[in-house]
Amino acid sequence: MVEESKRVVCSSSFLISLLIFHVLAYSVIFFQIDEWKAKFSFSDSNNHETKLANSNNNLGTATKVKDVAPKKDPLKIMLRRLVTGEKRAQFEETGFAHLSELNSDIYISSKEVRFDTNASRVYIYSDNQELEKYVVQPYPLKNDAVAMKMVKPVEIFHGKIPPPPCDLKHDVPAVVFSSGGFAGNIFHEFNDIIIPLFITSRHFRSRVKFMITDYQLWWINKFRRVLTELSNFEFMDAGSVKTVNGSRTIIHCFPGAIVGLRYHDNLAINISDTPGAYSMVEFRDLLRKSFNLKIRDVSQMLSNKPQLLIISRTRTRTIVNQDAVVKMMEELGFRVYIPSNDLMSNLVEFSRVIGSSSVMLGVHGAGLTNEIFLPNGGVMIQVLPLELDWVANAYYGGPAKGMGLHYLEYKIDPQESTLYDLYGPNHPVIKDPDSIKALGYRKSRVYFLDQQNVTINMGRFRNTLVEAMRLIGRSTTNAPS
């Protein structure tokens, strides 16, 4: 009995010793892990301070957070994400960067910016920088002389210059851009303004204020739904003087600013060059939210007859035999919709019609930009007139694929062009079109854009429509051939 009691006591002592050993071992291990975290962890977020403070408390040291790592400026971090390459080091040092890109000039400041709306002038004070002056037209077609004639320049003064006193202070950065240029053409409205604005500002999560030069109220109203998704704040006319509480407000002060918009390609976003890794997928999701489009994918459409929407042109590049084409479409099982010009001018209503269509078709032209509202998996059919292959694919064919759409093209034969009837088979416009294009854009467009209509070959075109049906998961087996 005594032996048994000793054995129990020994076993208990052994278990207690083992437990103490484990506690000490774990303490050492966690001590070491915390030490590693304190040495090697890094984050651009504001949580970095908290993490280091906790680590120091565990270590029992009196080291202050600011001695471990300098406080990060969240706004500067957000602005820095727009700066790439060697310019980033310059931005880190000075808080200012000028990005000269192929299509646009962008100026980014993480220092206070004072905007004089009376003179379209920006002041950025720096006590260690000799005064520099920049003039920028904040519209991403800087090499297009025609567009830039309709864009007001903004002056930027950076360096040792006494800035004017603030009339009104804002607590979010400004994004300065123009709604001038080719606004009024739906391709350019999306390509030159809305998509670049998304690329430039989306990662701020609506915590930016838009200062709009060449302010046009009709354009603001047209795209108000998109603009309010990108900014939680009132859009400002950058060229007007307002009265607030009886005082004239001329100088607006911001904690930072972006003047100009980043541009990637025609109706496209390069995901690897976008803060937040956004693509056309996220952009189209934002459009659906803005315009309250319910259908995200064609697979959600349950109707037996998928809707095919025709962008019907009325002056140039028209489909001469459109009635016959529509009849064939209906025989194949499509429900055909041809919107009126009034509907097409109402972006809110028209986007909903497109958003409930499975297929969109049209001859090359700006109206095809509306493919941007088609549901994922939808089909875009572009009819290619003579000698418009490159521009048709660059503007609408390639971008359609990046939007998650199927793309089909129907390239007409010379006999399907009204140019063939108008000039005959031996005219250079038919026989040697390169000689016409060599005359320059203005002269060649008279033939290929302004004078050309198409008469579609029904037999050949039927194959394109059958393929469209297949791509959206429908059958045409019961349709007459």
Side-chain angles (χ1 to χ4, degrees), residues 146-443:
V146 176
M148 300 314 270
K149 284 180 181 178
M150 298 176 276
V151 178
K152 185 178 181 179
V154 174
E155 295 180 333
I156 300 174
F157 292 90
H158 175 229
K160 295 178 182 178
I161 181 172
C166 298
D167 292 321
L168 185 62
K169 282 195 171 187
H170 306 272
D171 60 1
V172 295
V175 176
V176 183
F177 67 94
S178 170
S179 63
F182 290 138
N185 176 296
I186 191 168
F187 172 81
H188 288 286
E189 287 171 340
F190 274 105
N191 187 68
D192 306 351
I193 308 175
I194 296 299
I195 295 176
L197 186 60
F198 176 87
I199 293 170
T200 306
S201 68
R202 182 56 173 168
H203 69 292
F204 288 96
R205 294 295 182 180
S206 305
R207 295 284 301 167
V208 288
K209 192 171 186 69
F210 295 151
M211 297 285 286
I212 306 173
T213 67
D214 308 301
Y215 191 96
Q216 303 178 84
L217 184 58
W218 67 265
W219 186 88
I220 301 297
N221 288 334
K222 182 176 183 178
F223 290 99
R224 183 174 298 277
R225 289 169 176 252
V226 181
L227 297 175
T228 53
E229 285 295 328
L230 292 172
S231 171
N232 289 334
F233 303 90
E234 175 193 7
F235 327 126
M236 290 192 58
D237 180 351
S240 73
V241 176
K242 286 192 173 185
T243 301
V244 179
N245 297 328
S247 301
R248 296 180 76 219
T249 300
I250 300 174
I251 308 299
H252 292 264
C253 297
F254 302 91
I258 306 157
V259 183
L261 300 176
R262 298 207 65 191
Y263 177 89
H264 288 171
D265 205 347
N266 295 318
L267 299 181
I269 297 174
N270 179 1
I271 188 172
S272 65
D273 193 25
T274 305
Y278 298 119
S279 70
M280 284 299 290
V281 172
E282 285 78 18
F283 176 73
R284 283 173 21 94
D285 283 341
L286 179 130
L287 288 186
R288 291 189 189 97
K289 183 178 179 183
S290 301
F291 293 99
N292 195 26
L293 307 183
K294 303 296 186 183
I295 300 172
R296 192 172 190 271
D297 194 278
V298 291
S299 62
Q300 297 172 251
M301 298 181 179
L302 304 177
S303 172
N304 291 328
K305 288 193 172 185
Q307 181 163 286
L308 187 155
L309 183 141
I310 298 178
I311 303 293
S312 182
R313 299 180 61 88
T314 56
R315 289 184 293 178
T316 65
R317 283 161 278 146
T318 64
I319 300 175
V320 176
N321 59 337
Q322 181 170 285
D323 290 345
V325 171
V326 169
K327 183 180 179 181
M328 181 173 65
M329 291 172 173
E330 292 173 339
E331 290 174 347
L332 288 170
F334 288 106
R335 182 176 71 255
V336 180
Y337 189 97
I338 304 176
S340 65
N341 288 334
D342 286 342
L343 177 60
M344 291 179 66
S345 65
N346 185 329
L347 193 60
V348 174
E349 296 300 323
F350 190 38
S351 66
R352 290 172 183 166
V353 174
I354 302 167
S356 61
S357 301
S358 299
V359 181
M360 192 179 91
L361 175 143
V363 182
H364 171 75
L368 299 189
T369 306
N370 289 293
E371 68 182 0
I372 211 163
F373 294 112
L374 279 172
N376 294 340
V379 178
M380 167 67 197
I381 303 175
Q382 181 171 204
V383 178
L384 271 60
L386 296 182
E387 301 306 316
L388 296 181
D389 301 40
W390 182 87
V391 67
N393 281 287
Y395 285 12
Y396 307 111
K401 298 168 187 176
M403 296 178 197
L405 303 174
H406 298 290
Y407 174 70
L408 298 175
E409 62 184 32
Y410 177 80
K411 183 176 179 180
I412 71 168
D413 289 334
Q415 291 82 357
E416 294 172 78
S417 171
T418 53
L419 295 177
Y420 189 92
D421 300 324
L422 189 61
Y423 293 103
N426 295 317
H427 190 279
V429 74
I430 300 295
K431 195 173 184 178
D432 186 16
D434 287 342
S435 66
I436 299 294
K437 290 187 284 186
L439 299 174
Y441 173 74
R442 289 188 177 183
K443 292 188 177 181

